[in-house]
């Protein structure tokens, strides 16, 4: 049973460099396992999804990018603010996205102008497109069983999602305000969970804690914490504890090298001893990070550090791990 069985919108954020796009892609595969239909979306214009799934750059339309274990399908969409604005104008003002007025708006740069003078409008357009996919239905029911959003990093996530605050300075009534309210109704509902990706390093852990506090302060639903790129300790607990205290048995190191058929000059033994101390210090730092994250009282999941650059096989392995841990 998934920890988020009732959630339909999974927002994935994290400090830059923590692998949030990789985690979002793996989560989409995990959620689609067993015959589900999942939409994976991105809003930052980086085409990170296309790179991960080794496919051409995504257009502004939903494209199938992978088949999940058990026959499920993962679709992907790169949301473009300009096209989202044209969708909005078509929805509320019947302006055709392919008609002459729309082409004129593009040529004049009116779309860039509108989103520049009213930055909050950009986020309304982006989140509005995601919300539309979440609530869309067809003859058989929901168009997608779940939607995963590869969202902006934690430093911007609260402002990005809390569009009601941004829109308050743009419109008090009218279509923009109504659109904002309908999006916030979904974002603040039990249908949504904001997951945070981190590494067991001091700055990402602190940014994750700050992100959870900020999201909670504006009533946005925090989901789980995904600890990415976890490395297994290379030493036994007793050896780690001794190394953390600075106790290294150089004679044992030298004996071990000789037993392995290697020379054991003093310089090599000293270098290995220094690396052992560094490794023990890193493991201790990671444990402190785990303790700090545990204080958030949120479900936590760990993904291993992959030995090579993330490819489709790696994504499937990470998705399987998320399923085994109950996130999907």
């Amino acid at each position: 049973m998934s920890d988020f069985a009732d959630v339909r919108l999974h927002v994935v954020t994290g400090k830059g460099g923590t692998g949030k796009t990789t985690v979002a892609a793996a989560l989409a595969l995990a959620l689609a396992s067993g015959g589900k239909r999942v939409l994976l979306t991105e809003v930052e214009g980086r085409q990170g999804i296309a790179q991960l799934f080794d496919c051409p750059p995504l257009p502004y339309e939903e494209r199938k990018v992978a088949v999940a274990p058990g026959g499920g399908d993962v679709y992907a969409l790169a949301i473009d603010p300009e096209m989202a604005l044209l969708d909005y104008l078509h929805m509320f003002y019947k302006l055709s996205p392919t008609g002459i007025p729309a082409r004129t708006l593009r040529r004049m740069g009116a779309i860039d102008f509108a989103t520049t003078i009213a930055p909050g409008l950009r986020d309304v357009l982006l989140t509005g497109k995601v919300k539309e996919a979440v609530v869309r239905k067809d003859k058989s029911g929901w168009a997608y069983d779940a939607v995963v959003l590869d969202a902006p990093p934690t430093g911007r996530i609260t402002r990005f999602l809390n569009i009601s605050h941004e829109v308050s300075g743009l419109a008090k009534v009218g279509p923009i305000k109504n659109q904002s309210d309908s999006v916030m109704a979904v974002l603040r509902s039990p249908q949504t969970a904001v997951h945070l990706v981190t590494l067991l390093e001091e700055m990402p852990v602190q940014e994750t804690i700050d992100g959870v506090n900020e999201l909670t302060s504006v009533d946005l639903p925090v989901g789980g914490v995904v600890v990415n790129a976890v490395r297994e300790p290379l030493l036994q607990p007793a050896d780690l504890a001794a190394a953390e205290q600075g106790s290294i048995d150089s004679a044992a190191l030298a004996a071990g090298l000789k037993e392995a058929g290697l020379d054991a000059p003093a310089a090599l033994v000293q270098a290995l001893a220094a690396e052992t101390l560094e490794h023990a210090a890193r493991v201790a730092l990671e444990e402190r990070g785990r303790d700090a994250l545990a204080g958030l009282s949120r479900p936590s999941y760990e993904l291993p550090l992959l030995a090579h650059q993330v490819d489709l096989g790696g994504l499937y392995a990470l998705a399987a791990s998320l399923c085994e841990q109950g996130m999907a």
Side-chain angles (χ1 to χ4, degrees):
M1 183 67 175
S2 167
D3 294 337
F4 302 98
D6 297 327
V7 171
R8 293 184 33 76
L9 173 57
H10 297 262
V11 180
V12 179
T13 184
K15 179 177 171 56
T18 58
K20 70 178 179 64
T21 299
T22 298
V23 172
L27 179 58
L29 280 169
L31 291 167
S33 298
K36 301 290 182 62
R37 182 181 168 98
V38 172
L39 177 65
L40 173 61
T41 62
E42 64 179 13
V43 294
E44 296 183 278
R46 296 185 295 106
Q47 288 291 337
I49 295 173
Q51 294 174 36
L52 281 172
F53 287 97
D54 194 23
C55 63
L58 296 172
Y60 184 68
E61 62 181 54
E62 292 153 23
R63 292 277 182 90
K64 184 175 175 178
V65 293
V67 176
D73 293 324
V74 175
Y75 288 76
L77 171 66
I79 304 177
D80 175 73
E82 178 179 285
M83 295 304 298
L85 177 56
L86 294 178
D87 274 354
Y88 175 87
L89 294 175
H90 174 66
M91 183 185 306
F92 291 105
Y93 299 105
K94 309 306 178 186
L95 177 66
S96 171
T98 59
I100 293 175
R103 292 199 298 271
T104 301
L105 283 174
R106 288 198 194 97
R107 188 169 61 249
M108 293 173 56
I111 293 170
D112 287 340
F113 177 73
T115 56
T116 298
I117 64 171
L121 177 59
R122 175 188 172 90
D123 292 345
V124 172
L125 297 170
L126 296 173
T127 54
K129 186 65 177 179
V130 175
K131 172 258 183 181
E132 184 275 328
V134 173
V135 302
R136 189 194 314 159
K137 290 186 175 183
D138 54 28
K139 293 181 180 179
S140 59
W142 297 114
Y144 292 101
D145 295 290
V147 175
V148 178
L149 169 60
D150 177 19
T154 44
R156 204 173 85 78
I157 189 63
T158 301
R159 182 175 179 180
F160 174 76
L161 295 177
N162 191 28
I163 57 172
S164 60
H165 175 74
E166 298 299 315
V167 169
S168 63
L170 296 176
K172 303 297 183 183
V173 295
I176 293 178
K177 179 65 164 59
N178 294 338
Q179 174 78 342
S180 168
D181 289 346
S182 69
V183 172
M184 288 308 303
V186 171
L187 292 179
R188 285 200 170 116
S189 76
Q191 293 184 79
T192 298
V194 184
H195 309 296
L196 294 95
V197 181
T198 187
L199 304 176
L200 289 176
E201 298 173 4
E202 187 173 0
M203 288 185 63
V205 166
Q206 187 58 54
E207 191 161 317
T208 298
I209 294 170
D210 293 341
V212 168
N213 291 335
E214 289 178 8
L215 290 164
T216 303
S217 72
V218 294
D219 299 321
L220 287 164
V222 178
V225 174
V226 180
V227 182
N228 195 25
V230 174
R231 293 169 287 189
E232 292 293 327
L234 301 176
L235 301 175
Q236 295 299 317
D239 295 328
L240 279 172
E244 189 179 348
Q245 298 300 318
S247 176
I248 299 293
D249 189 341
S250 297
L253 277 177
L257 288 170
K258 291 177 180 178
E259 187 176 328
L262 300 173
D263 293 332
L268 177 58
V269 173
Q270 291 175 1
L272 288 175
E275 286 191 14
T276 301
L277 292 173
E278 290 177 7
H279 176 70
R282 178 179 63 78
V283 172
L285 176 64
E286 290 174 348
E287 285 304 314
R288 290 195 293 272
R290 282 192 178 92
D291 291 342
L293 294 171
L296 295 173
S297 299
R298 303 305 311 162
S300 182
Y301 314 90
E302 294 197 358
L303 294 176
L305 174 67
L306 298 179
H308 48 76
Q309 186 175 1
V310 180
D311 57 12
L312 195 54
L315 285 179
Y316 277 98
L318 296 178
S321 180
L322 290 176
C323 288
E324 291 169 1
Q325 295 178 70
M327 188 177 187

